Amino acid sequence: MTTDSRVLDARYFMPAFGRTLKIVRGAGSRVWDDQGREYIDCVAGIAVCSTGHCHPAVVEAICNQASQLIHCSNLYYVPGQAELAERLVEITGLSKAFFSNSGAEANEGAIKLARVRTGRKKFVAFVHGFHGRTCGSLAVTHKPAIREPFEPLSPACTFTDYGDLDALAEAVDKDTAGIFIEPIQGEAGVLIPPADFLRGVRDICDDTGALMIVDEVQTGMGRTGKWLGIQHTDVTPDIVTLAKGLASGFPIGALVAREGLEFERSEHGSTFAGGPLACAAALATIDVIAEALPDVPAKGERFIKGLSRHNPRGRGLLIGMSVGDRCPEVQQACAEAGVLVNCAADGNLRLIPPLVITDEEIDTTIDVVNAALG
Ligand SMILES: *Cc1c(COP(=O)(O)O)cnc(C)c1O
């Protein structure tokens, strides 16, 4: 069995991912591989499984909805869709929502919305920023290694240093439709901007009429200890995008925009987006997160304290540490000791566990990571 699926993968699946483990089951913050080995999962589907694996309330919501209606088309009112839009408007303090199937597609939607409502074409984004791998979202993603092989890409985008407001002010002009920004850069390895940077970005947007598009795909849905990463500041964005933690692993993305920014009839759409199963999973997920959220800051602090000799950075349960070239080895040593962690860009070890991780699991993780780091 085991060998078979690895052989099949090598033979039939394009080798775009480097993999070793095969995970076959999950419950709470634990997963099991095909050898029956147990792990504490501090990858969580890359910040997706925030309610833990197979949370009973999420499983029940998906199963109930699956027995009623799996799909119907956005030509009709979709069960759960308006209710989910209402929850996202409450969470973000913005005005209206629109759904997609992924984070990249949510950002595609934001690109379209910004262009169509401002009448402007260009974007500005940040060095080390990540917004997805579809052509549009890739165009506003910085990492040359993943972007350059696919150029020319549209929209035109200028990248400035994350944290440098002077460079940003220089780059934004009257043709700039929007600025794409992560409140904390996740894929880059958990890079936290200087205090007041996000306020400065808002001010530049207000001065120029560019829209502030805050990509909360990784930082959103409670990951940092508040519903949104931007909510650690007093800044109100024009558009927020969400995906990863939104439905416990059922694919969905969303964009939420302020009053006056909305798609008109036929300007945007999608066959699967915001379907009944995705909405049911998201609604159940939001209830579980609401319950877990008050404890997220203390859990994050427990990690930071326990890992302090390695200078961890983070907010809530989005935690990174610079470990350099040996990151893959450390990742491997942690897995062998029963903890899954992952290497984000530039030798940054990243921990993004379920928001429901217990203190005991955190302490075990700390011991394993400290031992692996030596
Ligand atoms: C993961 C991620 C994306 C892309 O989401 P997909 O669902 O993989 O398309 C976009 N932005 C940020 C900040 C992300 O972390």
Side-chain angles (χ1 to χ4, degrees), residues 46-48 101-107 129-134 137 141 181-187 215-219 241-244 252-253 350:
I46 310 199
V48 166
N101 303 292
S102 67
E105 275 181 84
N107 287 328
F130 183 85
H131 302 290
R133 290 171 179 272
T134 57
S137 65
T141 288
I181 182 165
E182 297 161 86
I184 294 174
Q185 291 187 325
E187 293 305 294
D215 182 338
E216 297 265 7
V217 169
Q218 190 158 158
T219 48
T241 58
L242 295 164
K244 289 191 165 98
I252 187 169
R350 179 175 48 175

